[in-house]
Amino acid sequence: MSSWSEGYVSDVNYTFGYYSELNPNNAIVPFLMAGLALPESILNGQYHACELGFGQGVSVNAHATAGYAKWYATDFNPSQANFARHLSHIADNGALIADQGFNEFCQRDDLPEFDFIGLHGIWSWISDENRAILVDFIRRKLKVGGILYISYNTLPGWSAPSPLRHLLLEHHNTMTSTANSRQQNIKDSVEFVEKVFAQSPSLTQNSPQLQSRLESLKDKDLNYIAHEYLNKDWQPMYFADMQKWLEMAKLIFACSSNYLDDFNDTLYNQEQRELMASFSNPSFAQTVKDFILNKQFRKDFWVKGARHLTPYEQSEAWKKLRVLLHTPRLKIEMKASSHLNVGLNETLFNPVLDILQDHKIHSVKAIVETLKDQINEDGIFNVLAVLAGKNNLAIVQSEEAIEQARPHCVAFNRYILEQSRSSQFNISYLVCPITGGAYHIDLVQRWFLLAHIEGIAKNKQVEFAWDLLKANGLFMSKEGRTLHDDNEGKAMMKDLHKAFVEEQLPYLKCLAIL
């Protein structure tokens, strides 16, 4: 581990995940449902955004490519920064990608003030010294009215599983061999913890989460385990402690990053709702919420100078939006879930879905006008918010933003599809100019899509994908069973292709990914 990493795992690269919470457009619905104003620039024009600690840079490049912001970002791992710059060059998205530590990056004199700053999977794994650097940066560089997105490991939820992390780290640091690879040492540490837990019935019986958490590690990517569990610094926090940190940057809590995480019906039973309704202090209510739900991870928006909207302003802000239903109507379940599963009122939802089911872009104002004799506008806003929280519906960017993003998205997506000829390529997301975000497409579907855009006849696309499957030494699987018989495997691939043509292609066209 090199000195520049300051105790953070740097010899194993981070996973190639995409995190939609870092898309500033996804703050719109939660803010409006919380009755808070968003920066006008996010709603109406070009603006500046920053991601601190970008990992492999998939998210920052997706948002710089498909969105309307000029992005600035840093990650101190030079290998990851080099890959992120490569993606940025492919898409020609104009992002500033640095390989600097927080102290160096935050002192740069060429950075603008930001409307949006995002930190995903960083805060809990850095030292207090680096936290102070970030808070000072946010204080200086986040505009008044600007949004901070931050995620972190939360107490009390992490109280029970924390012994697993401690034993895993102690074994890895003191008992593994430098002659082995990092990956082998991680495997050895997981196996050791399993042996200890097998001999610790009084511990595992009193803390059953430990055993289930250990079992889940067996299916995790080893790089994920390294970054999640093996850093020198690791500090889960109570909400009140996070609030003390961010108050120094003049921030207050705004809302969760997904509306369903603030939607009482999907969080609490009746007695819990009554308890939560008794608190007049919203910050204290967040602390109690974490205890009731035993939260282990929070993904929140904070704001520098909250401006509360009047009911009229809130209504007008909603009606300026455009929305797109990208999930087929028949696949939308009439239930919503976060900590609880609740049924949805079909009398409210079906009239809205009747309008949106054509998968075209609709203005919220037009929806309100069409349904004014059936549903009041607050009911419509609630339906749209829940559908967005369920990831069935997206807020649509302006036409100017969409047209600006199209050629960059084409270049990015073509690169991802070409590289997907190799199963060793790790990015499984394509970017969308409609929403400014990215969407997961699995490997076989990417092969079908590559065949489609290369003009291969529909009746030859299965053979195209089959050849790539065999060239990568892979097999099809069904219900957890590997299909070693080629005839059985091809039959499975034909079924997948039929579903791709009937379901996936319309979805990709709807989002202008294709």
Side-chain angles (χ1 to χ4, degrees):
M1 187 176 294
S2 53
S3 59
W4 52 261
S5 67
E6 298 181 339
Y8 194 86
V9 170
S10 60
D11 57 343
V12 176
N13 284 337
Y14 198 66
T15 53
F16 292 79
Y18 166 75
Y19 306 101
S20 62
E21 298 86 359
L22 289 161
N23 180 357
N25 294 328
N26 286 348
I28 294 173
V29 167
F31 262 69
L32 288 182
M33 293 307 289
L36 296 173
L38 290 113
E40 286 296 321
S41 54
I42 290 179
L43 293 170
N44 300 321
Q46 293 182 321
Y47 57 97
H48 297 108
C50 178
E51 184 178 351
L52 297 166
F54 55 68
Q56 295 289 356
V58 177
S59 296
V60 69
N61 273 294
H63 300 141
T65 300
Y68 213 25
K70 163 73 173 179
W71 280 85
Y72 299 73
T74 193
D75 191 287
F76 65 10
N77 187 315
S79 176
Q80 294 175 178
N82 191 27
F83 181 75
R85 285 177 178 174
H86 174 64
L87 286 181
S88 178
H89 175 73
I90 293 293
D92 189 25
N93 59 33
L96 185 151
I97 306 290
D99 69 334
Q100 296 170 311
F102 294 139
N103 187 42
E104 186 179 4
F105 180 82
C106 292
Q107 295 302 318
R108 291 178 65 135
D109 60 8
D110 61 344
L111 301 178
E113 289 190 326
F114 296 106
D115 302 271
F116 182 94
I117 296 176
L119 297 87
H120 183 80
I122 293 296
W123 184 263
S124 299
W125 293 269
I126 58 176
S127 66
D128 279 349
E129 180 183 2
N130 273 308
R131 290 190 187 102
I133 290 169
L134 293 181
V135 169
D136 177 67
F137 177 77
I138 294 164
R139 179 186 61 80
R140 291 185 293 107
K141 286 297 186 179
L142 186 65
K143 288 181 179 179
V144 172
I147 297 170
L148 171 73
Y149 164 72
I150 189 165
S151 61
Y152 61 101
N153 280 352
T154 309
L155 293 169
W158 260 98
S159 299
S162 60
L164 165 61
R165 187 260 178 188
H166 179 80
L167 184 57
L168 194 66
L169 179 63
E170 285 299 302
H171 179 270
H172 185 271
N173 286 348
T174 60
M175 302 299 293
T176 54
S177 171
T178 56
N180 293 337
S181 67
R182 166 79 84 161
Q183 285 79 0
Q184 184 59 52
N185 283 337
I186 294 171
K187 290 179 182 178
D188 292 345
S189 294
V190 172
E191 290 173 3
F192 174 78
V193 172
E194 186 174 24
K195 290 177 182 178
V196 172
F197 281 7
Q199 303 303 319
S200 309
S202 59
L203 172 66
T204 55
Q205 288 171 12
N206 288 328
S207 300
Q209 283 188 23
L210 287 174
Q211 198 64 47
S212 61
R213 179 63 67 99
L214 176 61
E215 287 299 314
S216 72
L217 286 188
K218 296 177 182 179
D219 298 323
K220 297 291 187 184
D221 184 287
L222 294 177
N223 291 3
Y224 167 84
I225 295 174
H227 286 267
E228 185 78 14
Y229 288 88
L230 301 180
N231 289 304
K232 180 187 75 173
D233 294 295
W234 179 75
Q235 182 58 62
M237 284 191 182
Y238 292 104
F239 175 85
D241 293 329
M242 175 61 83
Q243 185 177 39
K244 290 174 184 176
W245 275 100
L246 295 181
E247 279 178 344
M248 292 186 284
K250 301 183 178 181
L251 299 184
I252 67 167
F253 175 76
C255 52
S256 301
S257 63
N258 185 306
Y259 172 61
L260 292 185
D261 287 333
D262 288 335
F263 183 44
N264 284 352
D265 288 0
T266 57
L267 299 178
Y268 311 119
N269 61 33
Q270 185 58 39
E271 290 182 351
Q272 291 168 336
R273 284 186 220 173
E274 291 173 2
L275 175 63
M276 293 300 295
S278 68
F279 303 122
S280 58
N281 185 316
S283 297
F284 183 68
Q286 289 300 313
T287 293
V288 177
K289 174 183 181 178
D290 289 349
F291 274 78
I292 290 176
L293 303 179
N294 193 34
K295 286 186 74 68
Q296 293 187 5
F297 197 65
R298 289 190 67 118
K299 298 185 288 185
D300 294 334
F301 291 127
W302 295 69
V303 62
K304 188 175 186 178
R307 184 173 73 82
H308 292 270
L309 300 172
T310 66
Y312 172 76
E313 287 179 307
Q314 190 176 19
S315 170
E316 290 301 298
W318 262 110
K319 286 187 280 191
K320 289 178 182 177
L321 299 179
R322 302 188 304 160
V323 295
L324 174 72
L325 187 76
H326 52 71
T327 304
R329 171 76 178 272
L330 293 177
K331 289 197 170 185
I332 297 176
E333 296 182 290
M334 283 294 104
K335 64 180 182 181
S337 61
S338 180
H339 288 265
L340 299 175
N341 290 320
V342 297
L344 300 177
N345 184 342
E346 296 189 25
T347 303
L348 280 176
F349 276 77
N350 280 336
V352 178
L353 290 171
D354 288 343
I355 294 173
L356 298 175
Q357 66 183 351
D358 61 3
H359 304 300
K360 295 179 180 178
I361 296 171
H362 291 268
S363 78
V364 175
K365 182 177 182 180
I367 296 171
V368 169
E369 183 63 27
T370 300
L371 298 178
K372 64 183 180 182
D373 295 329
Q374 294 176 256
I375 309 171
N376 65 43
E377 61 181 35
D378 285 342
I380 293 171
F381 302 154
N382 274 285
V383 167
L384 296 175
V386 170
L387 290 173
K390 282 163 49 68
N391 196 31
N392 300 140
L393 173 140
I395 301 298
V396 175
Q397 299 193 112
S398 69
E399 286 301 316
E400 184 180 0
I402 292 171
E403 292 309 310
Q404 175 183 292
R406 280 188 195 276
H408 304 285
C409 291
V410 169
F412 184 97
N413 290 341
R414 184 62 189 246
Y415 172 78
I416 299 301
L417 294 174
E418 288 286 0
Q419 296 302 312
S420 295
R421 292 174 184 270
S422 168
S423 63
Q424 300 302 307
F425 185 69
N426 292 301
I427 300 179
S428 56
Y429 299 90
L430 299 179
V431 292
C432 168
I434 299 289
T435 67
Y439 295 84
H440 177 266
I441 312 292
D442 71 30
L443 182 60
V444 173
Q445 290 174 331
R446 275 178 273 142
W447 289 343
F448 291 150
L449 184 55
L450 179 60
H452 179 84
I453 66 174
E454 289 195 348
I456 295 173
K458 191 178 296 184
N459 63 351
K460 300 290 185 182
Q461 291 177 4
V462 170
E463 196 67 34
F464 175 86
W466 182 259
D467 288 344
L468 286 173
L469 182 85
K470 303 308 285 185
N472 281 280
L474 301 177
F475 296 90
M476 300 298 292
S477 64
K478 185 176 184 180
E479 298 174 351
R481 180 173 61 91
T482 301
L483 305 180
H484 292 282
D485 180 82
D486 281 359
N487 290 328
E488 197 175 5
K490 278 190 175 181
M492 179 67 184
M493 185 169 276
K494 286 178 181 176
D495 290 341
L496 291 178
H497 184 257
K498 183 174 184 293
F500 171 79
V501 171
E502 294 177 355
E503 300 173 12
Q504 196 72 7
L505 273 182
Y507 164 82
L508 295 171
K509 290 177 180 177
C510 166
L511 289 168
I513 292 174
L514 179 61

